[in-house]
Structures are given as structure tokens and as C-alpha cells.
Amino acid sequence: MALKKPPYRVLIAMMVLWTTALNYCFRTFFPVTLIAMLDRNKTVKLENGTETSQMPPDYGPRYPWTPFQEGQLIGAYFYGYSISSLPGGPIAEYFGPYWTVIVSSLICAAITSASVFAVMENWVPLFVCRLLVGLSGGVQYPSLQCLMGAWAPPNEKGKFTACLMGNVLGSVITQSIVGFLVSTMGWTWGFYFTGMVSALFLIGWVLLVSDYPEQNWFCGAEEVAYIKESHAGSVKIGKSKPPILQILTSIPFLSLVIGQFGSLWGLYLLLTVVPKFMADVLKFNLKGVGFLSSTPGISRLISGFIFGAIADFFIKRELVKKVVVRKGFITFSHFLPGIVMFLYLAIEDNVPIAVALLIIMMAFNGACVVTTIVNPQDLAPNYAGTQFGIMNFFGSMPGFIIPAMVGELTKYKSELPEWAVIFGITGIIYISSGIVFVLFGSADLQPWNEKRETGPAQGGS
């Protein structure tokens, strides 16, 4: 019996996963690489009770940047990312996600590879490079929301949105590989690695992706008709100006922004400062930091696909209303991670439990694929990119708030009591943002989804 050929949209979903993986590769290689760039001698207590200064391993030139400058260098990407997220949706809706992703990926790769030559004792040139990479990368997630709006049938959006968990895959692979490369070949290879990965990605994207099924060389006519029929007229080809005022005054959308902020606060805590927590508090070496920093992300990746499949099953079988799925799963994506964070106030110096709590927290948060991340597709699929851009403008702010906050709180001492405060703040934000989404969120198609066409958007294979 011949195996049934999978639909072409599965390949599009895989390219969504690969795009988010690359996007997070540009983000997460840097905190691990930065550890090897800092000139920080460690004080070690000898058996006779005396203290001595221990020289760090030779991973290349080191620089005497302060904790404040360290936080700013990590946060630089997110300054740029926040800024470009706002126009990212309208840009993708006008030019199409196909070309938007190509151009932004090329810029990210070129600047990241060239950043090696901007590294010097003065930290500002490297800060500018990271800022520019963030500006280029900020348009990609809104672009993928546009792509999914065109390609994903409504009863498959949970699984499609789970592919945005490629960000976790990118983090896991990047932190592990970069940790190894830096510790064996030097910190410059953290920068070069991202450029090589980008080249492979762009070949696949150029050949396989298009803005709409109707424009794709390889998608069969029967599948195109199925996708179009499933959308029931809610998705239209063409350029148009997004109804910004109506979006910004929509209570369901504003509650979504708050919910996304809470979810991303927890994620960016993991991506930006957990490597520092692993090194300072749990005392892991650079290889250990790279691997262990990625383990919570693995749990989030796996659970995201599980939650996506469960939600699609409920919606497809009409077992519960869509809004019940969106709000009910907030228990997993927000409330339970918040509770887990509060447990850090009681664990003292138990290293295995500290790592286990991070893994459990991110496993629960994988449910965000069927709560806040997919919700723009419910409210207005024609303007999912614009919505996601606004969401990410605010949602990515933790990327620079958290490193600055951690730098201040750990300025004199970086031990578990200081980190318990940081994790407690995260718990409060998780739970309060989840409550707002449950009270004011919606899963209904909004009247401002209607698109006023100004011309066809072209792009793709």
C-alpha cells in the first residue's frame, strides 16, 4: 500500500519552524559568546583558606566591560527588535512575507559576521551592530503570521502555530553548538556560525516558499482549493493599509498584547540571563552553560506541539468552543509557570531543583501556541502580521528590561537570593497578564478584518 503524500503546506510549516529557529539563532548565540569575551577573573578559595585569582580560559581577546555594559550589549538586539516590530506587520502585508524574510535574513547575516571586526575595548560599536541586527530581525515574526494566515486552514492553526516554537529549536541548537565552538575554537566562531546557517536557510526559503498557495509552483490545485475554501472568505490576496486605529482601540487585542508580554517575559528571562544564572549561581562551565541553558527550551518545544495537537483536536471535533480553548489553556501558558517561579523563593541552593523548575516552567509555557501566539489569526487573519508586530513591540521589551534589571540586582552579588527576587517578579507578571487575557480576550473574528485592496501582493516560488 502506497504511502499518502503529505500536503505541501506541511513543507511551508517546516519553513516557518526553520525561520523562527534562525531568528533565535541571531539572538541566543550572543549571551553564550559574550561570557567568553568578558575579562572577569574569578576568586577561588584554596584548601589552606587563602584566596587566589583564577585566570579564565583563553577563548580569544577579552574586554573589561562592566555589568551595565554587558546588559546593554545583550539588550541591544531587543531595542532594535522592538522598534522594527511595529512597522514589520504592514511591511510584510504590503511587500509580502517572502521578500521581507529574504531581505531581513541577508542583513542579519551580513552584520553579524561583520560584527567580529567591531569588537574592541569600546563597547559601543558592537552595541550598534547588535542593534542593527535586531532592527532587521524584528520584521520576521509578523511576516510569518502573514504567511500562516494565507496557508493554514483554521482547524490546523494550532499545529501551524506550534511551528513558531522553532525559536526554541534554534535556541537549543545554537546555545549547544556555540558553547562547543567557542570553547574549542574561540568566541569569533559564535558570530561566524550564524552566517553559515543563514546561507543554508535562504536556499530553502527562496525555492520553496510563496506568499499564497495560489502563487506556489509546487502546491497542487486541489490543495489550493481546499485551503481557500477553509478560509471561507476571511483571507484575501492583495495589499491594503491596516486599520491601525481600530486595532489599537480593540479591547480583545489590547488584552492579547498584555498576555503576550507576560509570556515573552518568561521566555526572554530564559534567553538573555539564564546563561548568567547557570554560570554564576549553578557554577557550570561554558560547555555546561550552553547545553543546560537549552534544556528548558527543549521542554517548551515538545510541549508546544503537544498542546497544539490537543487544541486542534478539540476545535476540529467541536468538543469545546474556540474561546474556551484559548482561555482555558492560559492555565498552562501563564498561571502554572507563574506558580513555578515563586518556588524559587524556597529552594535555597538546590541545583537540581533549580534546573528542574526552569524545565517545568517552560514546558507549561509551551501552551502559549494555542493562547496568545495564535490569537491574531482568530481576531483578524488579514492583519495578523500587523497585530503580531504591535504585540512584539511591547512583548520584546523584556529583552532589554531584564538584562538591565539583572545587572542592577546582581551588581554586588549574584547568588540564589538575588535570583529568587528576579524569578518572583517573573511569577507576578505571568499570573497578572494571564488574568487580563482571560477576562478581556476573545476568539471571534473582528469587524476590522475586512481588507480594502489596493493591488496584488506578489512573491514566492
Side-chain angles (χ1 to χ4, degrees):
M1 182 178 177
L3 293 174
K4 185 178 179 181
K5 181 182 177 182
Y8 189 80
R9 61 187 179 276
V10 171
L11 194 54
I12 297 297
M14 291 300 98
M15 290 306 300
V16 169
L17 185 143
W18 196 358
T19 307
T20 56
L22 179 65
N23 186 278
Y24 270 62
C25 176
F26 285 113
R27 307 182 195 204
T28 58
F29 88 89
F30 189 71
V32 175
T33 304
L34 185 60
I35 295 172
M37 301 171 69
L38 295 172
D39 186 10
R40 303 272 173 82
N41 292 342
K42 293 184 178 180
T43 300
V44 179
K45 183 172 287 188
L46 302 178
E47 291 181 1
N48 60 10
T50 60
E51 293 185 347
T52 183
S53 180
Q54 185 182 59
M55 293 294 293
D58 182 15
Y59 299 135
R62 290 181 178 266
Y63 303 91
W65 297 323
T66 66
F68 170 78
Q69 292 166 348
E70 178 187 355
Q72 291 301 304
L73 285 169
I74 293 174
Y77 177 96
F78 299 95
Y79 290 126
Y81 187 86
S82 293
I83 293 169
S84 62
S85 288
L86 272 179
I91 288 172
E93 286 159 0
Y94 189 83
F95 293 104
Y98 178 80
W99 281 109
T100 304
V101 169
I102 288 175
V103 173
S104 64
S105 297
L106 284 171
I107 294 174
C108 285
I111 295 176
T112 298
S113 298
S115 296
V116 172
F117 305 103
V119 178
M120 57 186 71
E121 191 164 324
N122 185 338
W123 61 282
V124 174
L126 181 59
F127 175 89
V128 172
C129 288
R130 293 299 296 161
L131 178 73
L132 293 174
V133 173
L135 281 169
S136 301
V139 302
Q140 291 190 350
Y141 264 79
S143 298
L144 296 179
Q145 285 283 343
C146 295
L147 191 71
M148 292 191 302
W151 279 90
N155 61 7
E156 295 178 8
K157 284 189 175 178
K159 291 187 284 288
F160 248 89
T161 308
C163 290
L164 293 175
M165 285 296 175
N167 56 17
V168 177
L169 184 64
S171 303
V172 169
I173 294 174
T174 298
Q175 291 179 329
S176 299
I177 293 179
V178 168
F180 173 78
L181 288 176
V182 169
S183 63
T184 55
M185 301 175 68
W187 58 255
T188 56
W189 279 91
F191 293 88
Y192 296 146
F193 169 75
T194 57
M196 293 185 288
V197 173
S198 301
L200 293 173
F201 162 77
L202 283 168
I203 293 172
W205 181 273
V206 168
L207 294 176
L208 302 174
V209 177
S210 62
D211 292 336
Y212 296 93
E214 296 91 326
Q215 299 169 344
N216 196 281
W217 294 341
F218 307 114
C219 187
E222 184 178 347
E223 185 175 359
V224 170
Y226 170 75
I227 295 172
K228 190 172 183 179
E229 182 181 350
S230 72
H231 289 154
S234 63
V235 177
K236 294 182 179 179
I237 298 178
K239 302 177 181 179
S240 70
K241 294 181 180 179
I244 296 295
L245 183 60
Q246 291 173 280
I247 293 174
L248 293 178
T249 54
S250 168
I251 297 300
F253 175 70
L254 294 177
S255 68
L256 171 59
V257 171
I258 294 171
Q260 177 76 342
F261 179 89
S263 180
L264 288 182
W265 180 284
L267 178 61
Y268 288 147
L269 177 84
L270 175 70
L271 297 180
T272 59
V273 298
V274 162
K276 178 179 174 64
F277 172 71
M278 296 282 188
D280 291 356
V281 180
L282 306 186
K283 307 301 182 185
F284 289 110
N285 60 27
L286 190 60
K287 290 182 182 178
V289 166
F291 174 73
L292 285 168
S293 295
S294 68
T295 50
I298 295 172
S299 67
R300 190 174 188 258
L301 172 66
I302 296 171
S303 69
F305 280 98
I306 293 172
F307 283 123
I310 293 171
D312 281 351
F313 177 80
F314 285 156
I315 293 171
K316 187 174 183 178
R317 299 295 179 90
E318 298 181 350
L319 299 176
V320 293
K321 291 183 178 180
K322 187 188 295 184
V323 69
V324 175
V325 172
R326 300 287 180 254
K327 295 185 177 184
F329 277 84
I330 283 288
T331 301
F332 297 98
S333 65
H334 287 67
F335 296 154
L336 289 176
I339 293 171
V340 169
M341 286 290 93
F342 286 123
L343 295 179
Y344 274 95
L345 301 173
I347 66 170
E348 298 181 351
D349 294 326
N350 194 314
V351 173
I353 291 181
V355 175
L357 288 179
L358 283 173
I359 294 172
I360 292 169
M361 177 195 79
M362 297 314 294
F364 283 140
N365 184 247
C368 67
V369 300
V370 296
T371 58
T372 55
I373 294 181
V374 74
N375 197 225
Q377 302 287 340
D378 301 325
L379 301 180
N382 279 324
Y383 299 108
T386 294
Q387 293 176 77
F388 209 78
I390 298 170
M391 290 163 57
N392 267 8
F393 172 73
F394 294 102
S396 59
M397 287 180 179
F400 55 80
I401 294 174
I402 291 173
M405 179 185 74
V406 170
E408 188 64 28
L409 290 175
T410 62
K411 183 164 52 178
Y412 301 109
K413 190 167 64 170
S414 181
E415 297 179 357
L416 196 57
E418 288 74 36
W419 284 90
V421 174
I422 294 164
F423 293 141
I425 292 171
T426 300
I428 292 171
I429 291 174
Y430 259 134
I431 293 173
S432 59
S433 61
I435 290 172
V436 171
F437 184 80
V438 169
L439 292 178
F440 303 107
S442 174
D444 296 331
L445 188 70
Q446 301 298 298
W448 38 269
N449 177 62
E450 189 63 29
K451 180 179 282 190
R452 296 179 294 276
E453 296 184 15
T454 60
Q458 300 295 327
S461 55

